[in-house]
């Protein structure tokens, strides 16, 4: 069964545990600036919103790459950057409509979320379950449950 | 390890920024942040220097766990000599600034001298420079934050700065970071402004590595997070209601200082409580609280994100205050509300916004307004002083007026900005100032919580709940319940809390974790990250060493055992209601035992033996 990251911004407190878990997994240090998931704070609105790659099926980044350095992971469905092939041309960063592929000036390669190979560390680190890793075919389940709960099924109701 | 082992020395007189290695001998004795920075301060300044002169220094310091994934590991502290108390100032802040500083590769910044013109320090990893801040001078903290982000075109930069109150010499100005987090107490912002230093902007992309045993560290911090999540206070109470979970609790036990501490229970407490912040408003159906927010790495998230009712008189004509910002914490709600007798939640939220916007400590500000209200009601201050404002207890209008005056130090605001001790002295009624060593009390009346009386009297930064929070034991039963009205055993309790707190404050962690964590939970997190042995016993020893060092500084600065006291009101006027009715704070029955446990003489001086035991500098 393929799984997807499922983000509920309403539960996010903006603590950045996810960003640190991501950077630790991928870069070996606690470094939010190197995280592939980013939490955005909208101060006046009182909102925190985690944002990362949605793993598009017809991924713009993958199609745009001139050296085929972005490939589909057959197990997780993620679009993974093959660092050895990436030439750092950044075309994918332009092609991605969501901004979730970014260039890492230290390595000269691009980086993006690869679902940590099927065990996304942001999910384990999130203290409020704002980020979960769920059945890709049922990402709407939580919202459906919330609406279902509002259904009045009393007799004659 | 866990330390970056680099400190940045900024000489504001000369305009230089120089990197130097961290003194690891001191790190081994004082851990980091509060303790380690105090060791530097003691070494580098004359304790008798003018706190607002160029000879004072100001240190921004992180702890070894700052910037890591340890829960709440994002703290930094500002250590300097306080203009309010004349003793050591040490103010701790969360938000994101501390972790950013660490991620830029710095354990601490030492500011020395005074700049001939307004400047700000800009840090991008190893590169640090002083930049012209003439365009920022005269701007609030919020404007300064916005201008610096725009100027550097970097939304990920973090800013700590001072507002207009500090520029005007307000003695209780804070350093505000990330818009609504503050190193709030003891006038650390006043010191920063006295150096013509408007702001510190930081971008750090190096990250924090150097963990001694990464696998054990991750195990330890995961265990710690689990304890926090499963604890009733840190897992439920604080996320849901913030520190405001305490408002009704403390009022019920008769320890809610009210109307300048004349009473111990506030009839309007339920209107300004954490529960009240969840109630839908009549005007728009929205509650005061929008949601909770966390500081860096915090898995508790006690922070409040709030709005003021747009129809409220304080903001009706001011759309700039219609959005969300940092809401009321318990201390602010108490000082701005109960202590002034104001039970208008929207007014308190607005005043709290202004305290953040222009960098005032809401505890000292609220308590100073309360003292001014008592002076007014006694006829000592009149409308001639206030420009016609009826400065009476319970007046939300007067409170809102006062904060606007204080923020820019206009009119009576200049008097308020002296803090209550100097204000009451100026008007000939020093007994009306509710302070210890010149700093105002926080939200626990020591007539109803006896141990806090001793904690206040002996606190190294003047009246403060965050040096030794025996409320945990006396009210909440953590780690074990003690009788809040008893004095027996409180000397040992206060000492134990003071020492443990000093250690936690030196680690990069938030003291609120200790509602759930003991040093047994904290020790493995530090020990797996840092070189050396950081057992719970060692942390207690380090904590006590820090306490003795701070005390030693204060004594050298001119404070004496005679300053370890409380206002007469708390020692002689009995509580009028509640469980503590008829009680005064019996400080005299706790203090001698406390001195003995500390290894001090009967007049509160450090003995040669104590100095030698803790290896204090001469």
């Amino acid at each position: 069964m393929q799984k997807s990251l499922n983000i509920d911004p309403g539960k996010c407190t903006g603590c950045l545990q996810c960003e640190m878990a991501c950077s630790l997994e991928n870069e070996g240090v606690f470094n939010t600036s190197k995280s592939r998931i980013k939490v955005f704070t909208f101060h006046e609105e009182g909102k925190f919103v985690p944002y990362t790659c949605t793993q598009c099926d017809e991924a713009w980044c993958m199609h745009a790459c001139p050296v085929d350095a972005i490939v589909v992971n057959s197990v997780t469905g993620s679009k993974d950057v093959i660092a050895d092939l990436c030439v750092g041309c950044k075309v994918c960063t332009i092609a991605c409509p969501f901004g979730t592929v970014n260039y890492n000036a230290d390595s000269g390669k691009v980086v993006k979320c690869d679902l940590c190979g099927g065990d996304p560390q942001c999910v384990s680190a999130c203290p409020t379950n704002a980020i979960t890793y769920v059945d890709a075919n049922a990402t709407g389940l939580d919202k459906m449950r919330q609406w279902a709960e509002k259904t009045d099924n009393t007799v004659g109701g | 390890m866990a330390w970056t082992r680099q400190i940045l020395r900024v000489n504001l007189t000369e305009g230089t920024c120089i990197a130097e290695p961290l003194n690891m001998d001191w790190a081994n004795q004082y851990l980091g942040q509060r303790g380690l920075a105090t060791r530097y301060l003691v070494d580098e300044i004359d304790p008798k220097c003018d706190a607002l002169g160029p000879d004072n220094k100001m240190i921004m310091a992180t702890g070894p766990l700052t910037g890591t994934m340890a829960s709440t590991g994002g703290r930094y502290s500002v250590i300097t000599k306080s203009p309010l108390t004349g003793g050591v100032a040490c103010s701790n802040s969360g938000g994101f600034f501390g972790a950013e500083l660490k991620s830029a590769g710095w354990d601490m910044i030492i500011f020395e001298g005074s700049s001939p013109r307004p400047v700000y320090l800009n840090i991008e990893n190893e590169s640090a420079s002083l930049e012209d801040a003439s365009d920022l001078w005269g701007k609030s903290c919020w404007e300064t934050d916005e201008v610096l982000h725009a100027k550097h075109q970097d939304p990920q930069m973090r800013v700590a700065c001072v507002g207009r109150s500090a520029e005007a010499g307000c003695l209780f100005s804070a350093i505000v970071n990330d818009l609504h987090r503050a190193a709030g107490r003891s006038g650390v912002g006043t010191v920063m402004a006295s150096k013509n230093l408007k702001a510190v902007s930081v971008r750090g992309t190096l990250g924090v590595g150097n963990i001694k045993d990464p696998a054990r560290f991750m195990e330890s911090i995961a265990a710690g997070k689990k304890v926090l999540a499963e604890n009733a206070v840190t897992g439920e109470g604080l996320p849901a209601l913030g520190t405001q979970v305490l408002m009704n609790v403390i009022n019920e036990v008769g320890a809610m200082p009210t109307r300048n501490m004349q009473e111990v229970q506030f009839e309007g407490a339920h209107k300004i409580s954490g529960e009240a912040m969840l109630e839908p408003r009549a005007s728009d159906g929205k509650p005061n609280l929008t949601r909770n927010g966390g500081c860096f790495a915090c898995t508790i998230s006690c922070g409040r994100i709030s709005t003021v009712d747009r129809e409220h008189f304080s903001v009706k004509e001011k759309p700039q205050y219609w959005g969300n910002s940092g809401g009321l914490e318990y201390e602010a709600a108490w000082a701005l509300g109960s202590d002034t007798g104001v039970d208008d939640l929207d007014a308190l939220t607005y005043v709290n916004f202004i305290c953040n916007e222009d960098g005032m400590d809401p505890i000292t500000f609220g308590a100073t307004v309360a003292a001014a209200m008592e002076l007014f009601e006694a006829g000592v201050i009149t409308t001639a002083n206030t420009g016609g404002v009826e400065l009476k207890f319970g007046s939300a209008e007067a409170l809102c007026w006062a904060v606007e005056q204080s923020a820019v130090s206009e009119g009576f605001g200049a008097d308020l900005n002296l803090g209550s001790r100097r204000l009451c002295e100026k008007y000939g009624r020093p007994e009306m100032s509710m302070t210890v060593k010149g700093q105002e009390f926080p939200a626990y009346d020591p007539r109803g919580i006896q141990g806090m009386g001793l904690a206040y009297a002996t606190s190294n930064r003047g009246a403060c709940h965050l040096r030794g929070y025996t409320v945990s034991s006396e009210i909440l039963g953590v780690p074990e319940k003690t009788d809040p009205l008893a004095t027996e055993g409180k000397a040992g309790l206060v000492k134990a809390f003071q020492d443990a707190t000093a250690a936690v404050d030196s680690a990069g962690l938030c003291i609120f974790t200790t509602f759930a964590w003991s040093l047994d939970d904290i020790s493995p997190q530090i020990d797996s990250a840092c070189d050396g042995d950081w057992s719970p016993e060692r942390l207690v020893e380090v904590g006590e060493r820090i306490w003795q060092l701070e005390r030693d500084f204060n004594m050298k600065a001119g404070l004496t055992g005679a300053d370890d006291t409380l206002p007469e009101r708390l020692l002689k006027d009995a509580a009028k209601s509640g469980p503590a009715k008829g009680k005064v704070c019996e400080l005299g029955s706790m203090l001698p035992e406390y001195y003995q446990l500390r290894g001090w003489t009967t007049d509160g001086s450090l003995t040669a033996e104590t100095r030698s035991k803790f290896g204090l500098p001469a």
Side-chain angles (χ1 to χ4, degrees):
Chain A
M1 182 176 70
Q2 203 174 93
K3 289 179 140 189
S4 292
L5 287 178
N6 194 31
I7 293 173
D8 180 352
K11 291 181 180 167
C12 177
T13 62
C15 74
L16 310 188
Q17 283 279 346
C18 57
E19 294 195 13
M20 282 181 285
C22 180
S23 63
L24 183 67
E25 172 73 14
N26 293 295
E27 311 289 337
V29 288
F30 302 116
N31 189 348
T32 56
S33 73
K34 296 285 190 285
S35 174
R36 293 136 194 228
I37 184 166
K38 297 301 291 180
V39 179
F40 293 88
T41 299
F42 299 90
H43 183 75
E44 295 237 335
E45 293 80 13
K47 275 199 306 200
F48 304 105
V49 184
Y51 203 85
T52 190
C53 175
T54 63
Q55 314 294 348
C56 310
D57 268 12
E58 292 297 328
W60 280 269
C61 60
M62 187 168 67
H63 290 309
C65 180
V67 294
D68 293 332
I70 300 179
V71 300
V72 181
N73 181 315
S74 58
V75 179
T76 65
S78 63
K79 311 301 172 292
D80 298 351
V81 177
I82 310 296
D84 285 350
L85 297 180
C86 174
V87 295
C89 73
K90 310 176 197 69
V91 170
C92 56
T93 70
I94 300 162
C96 174
F98 308 106
T100 55
V101 192
N102 284 284
Y103 178 66
N104 181 338
D106 296 338
S107 63
K109 313 284 182 182
V110 297
V111 290
K112 67 177 289 298
C113 172
D114 61 1
L115 298 174
C116 299
D119 181 16
Q121 294 301 299
C122 52
V123 172
S124 319
C126 180
T128 61
N129 295 322
I131 312 167
T132 49
Y133 192 48
V134 301
D135 179 354
N137 299 303
T139 52
L141 209 61
D142 273 351
K143 276 185 198 159
M144 284 164 74
R145 187 183 293 108
Q146 283 165 25
W147 284 103
E149 202 176 13
K150 292 177 186 175
T151 304
D152 182 359
N153 64 351
T154 51
V155 176
Chain B
M1 290 191 225
W3 300 277
T4 69
R5 301 182 185 232
Q6 286 282 311
I7 70 175
L8 178 62
R9 186 175 294 277
V10 177
N11 187 312
L12 291 156
T13 307
E14 305 291 331
T16 55
C17 302
I18 296 167
E20 57 182 72
L22 183 70
N23 184 323
M24 288 310 294
D25 286 342
W26 290 353
N28 288 326
Q29 291 176 62
Y30 294 92
L31 187 54
Q33 203 171 343
R34 172 176 166 183
L36 187 53
T38 305
R39 185 64 187 82
Y40 272 92
L41 189 79
V42 164
D43 199 60
E44 298 194 10
I45 74 165
D46 174 359
K48 289 194 159 51
C49 74
D50 174 4
L52 299 179
D55 293 338
N56 193 8
K57 297 192 184 186
M58 186 189 88
I59 304 175
M60 286 180 163
T62 64
L65 299 192
T66 305
T68 72
M69 258 176 100
S71 184
T72 77
R75 313 293 300 189
Y76 78 102
S77 291
V78 181
I79 289 85
T80 185
K81 178 175 173 169
S82 165
L84 197 64
T85 69
V88 69
C90 170
S91 295
N92 184 305
S93 183
F96 299 85
F97 176 84
E100 198 74 22
L101 179 61
K102 185 80 174 280
S103 193
W106 304 103
D107 285 320
M108 62 170 80
I109 314 171
I110 300 177
F111 293 98
E112 52 192 31
S114 176
S115 172
R117 59 189 166 80
V119 290
Y120 71 96
L121 174 67
N122 186 54
I123 298 175
E124 291 170 14
N125 294 337
E126 62 280 357
S127 140
S129 58
L130 289 167
E131 307 287 339
D132 178 50
S134 51
D135 59 329
L136 297 173
W137 208 254
K139 285 189 162 48
S140 73
C141 298
W142 291 0
E143 289 173 304
T144 299
D145 190 284
E146 188 178 345
V147 170
L148 284 174
H149 276 101
K151 179 177 173 183
H152 289 272
Q153 298 197 14
D154 188 348
Q156 299 190 80
M157 186 176 80
R158 306 291 185 180
V159 174
C161 60
V162 293
R164 292 173 292 182
S165 70
E167 292 176 10
C170 166
L171 288 173
F172 48 86
S173 287
I175 296 172
V176 175
N177 57 276
D178 305 291
L179 299 173
H180 60 105
R181 289 284 142 196
R185 300 222 73 191
S186 312
V188 295
T190 319
V191 173
M192 182 161 158
S194 77
K195 299 189 172 303
N196 262 331
L197 178 66
K198 180 67 180 177
V200 180
S201 52
V202 185
R203 184 75 200 289
T205 64
L206 303 175
V208 176
N210 292 330
I211 301 295
K212 181 174 76 179
D213 183 342
R216 189 157 71 89
F217 181 68
M218 293 307 286
E219 275 170 33
S220 312
I221 65 169
K225 287 175 194 174
K226 188 161 181 284
V227 171
L228 293 177
E230 291 171 357
N231 178 275
V233 178
T234 53
E236 294 168 34
L238 287 174
L241 298 173
T243 51
Q244 275 271 64
V245 69
L246 289 162
M247 179 65 75
N248 289 323
V249 176
I250 300 301
N251 196 46
E252 275 165 30
V253 301
M256 173 68 69
T258 300
R259 284 177 280 270
N260 202 32
M261 304 189 90
Q262 296 179 90
E263 294 149 80
V264 297
Q265 288 185 307
F266 181 43
E267 67 286 352
H270 65 285
K271 294 185 184 171
I272 60 171
S273 65
E275 290 83 351
M277 290 169 70
L278 304 178
E279 292 294 319
R281 295 187 282 245
S283 61
D284 59 4
K286 289 181 184 166
N288 174 282
L289 182 76
T290 301
R291 61 158 305 112
N292 64 332
C295 294
F296 184 92
C298 177
T299 59
I300 304 172
S301 291
C302 72
R304 304 291 91 183
I305 312 287
S306 286
T307 57
V308 181
D309 185 346
R310 293 180 187 194
E311 297 298 317
H312 190 262
F313 75 85
S314 60
V315 302
K316 198 163 186 180
E317 310 297 329
K318 299 172 189 165
Q320 69 269 34
Y321 300 112
W322 288 357
N324 283 275
S325 195
L328 291 166
E329 316 291 341
Y330 172 55
E331 289 298 334
W334 159 78
L336 303 173
S338 167
D339 206 32
T340 65
V342 175
D343 63 6
D344 178 337
L345 185 63
D346 285 298
L348 306 190
T349 306
Y350 168 71
V351 174
N352 193 55
F353 279 11
I354 303 296
C355 283
N356 287 334
E357 183 180 26
D358 264 304
M360 290 95 79
D361 167 12
I363 301 179
T364 286
F365 169 75
T368 302
V369 172
M373 285 173 164
E374 190 176 348
L375 288 167
F376 187 89
E377 297 206 342
V380 180
I381 287 173
T382 67
T383 50
N385 303 105
T386 63
V389 173
E390 297 280 335
L391 194 55
K392 289 183 174 169
F393 283 117
S395 170
E397 290 79 4
L399 178 68
C400 292
W401 163 82
V403 83
E404 290 162 8
Q405 295 268 299
S406 182
V408 293
S409 209
E410 274 179 16
F412 191 65
D415 273 359
L416 290 172
N417 287 350
L418 295 169
S420 76
R421 185 173 77 179
R422 290 167 180 84
L423 174 81
C424 293
E425 280 170 357
K426 176 176 173 177
Y427 287 97
R429 300 295 291 274
E431 76 282 6
M432 286 188 186
S433 168
M434 295 298 113
T435 48
V436 174
K437 301 181 175 78
Q439 177 158 284
E440 288 71 10
F441 285 90
Y444 310 89
D445 196 297
R447 288 168 291 200
I449 309 176
Q450 295 286 327
M452 286 307 291
L454 180 62
Y456 293 143
T458 58
S459 155
N460 287 326
R461 70 169 190 178
C464 174
H465 56 302
L466 296 172
R467 302 295 96 168
Y469 190 75
T470 60
V471 178
S472 271
S473 165
E474 298 181 272
I475 303 299
L476 303 173
V478 178
E480 57 192 28
K481 185 79 172 78
T482 52
D483 178 358
L485 301 180
T487 55
E488 199 185 343
K490 293 297 166 64
L493 188 73
V494 167
K495 177 179 177 294
F497 270 86
Q498 288 174 337
D499 294 346
T501 301
V504 176
D505 282 348
S506 302
L509 302 173
C510 175
I511 194 66
F512 289 178
T513 56
T514 59
F515 284 117
W517 286 353
S518 68
L519 290 180
D520 289 341
D521 297 296
I522 292 170
S523 152
Q525 303 186 46
I526 300 174
D527 189 61
S528 56
C530 303
D531 278 348
D533 156 42
W534 297 96
S535 65
E537 297 73 28
R538 172 105 184 275
L539 289 172
V540 169
E541 181 198 317
V542 167
E544 178 157 20
R545 180 178 295 119
I546 293 165
W547 192 267
Q548 299 280 5
L549 182 71
E550 290 174 341
R551 173 78 176 191
D552 196 38
F553 177 89
N554 283 354
M555 299 308 253
K556 288 174 179 166
L559 293 166
T560 70
D563 295 299
D564 296 336
T565 189
L566 303 173
E568 288 218 343
R569 177 166 292 170
L570 306 175
L571 298 172
K572 293 190 173 163
D573 298 351
K576 294 172 184 164
S577 67
K581 186 175 179 180
K583 296 280 286 186
V584 296
C585 180
E586 295 167 33
L587 177 65
S589 62
M590 299 181 278
L591 195 60
E593 186 189 353
Y594 174 86
Y595 279 4
Q596 203 178 7
L597 290 173
R598 280 280 177 223
W600 299 344
T601 63
T602 50
D603 65 357
S605 302
L606 278 73
T607 61
E609 194 185 347
T610 301
R611 301 179 57 83
S612 146
K613 179 180 170 190
F614 291 100
L616 300 189

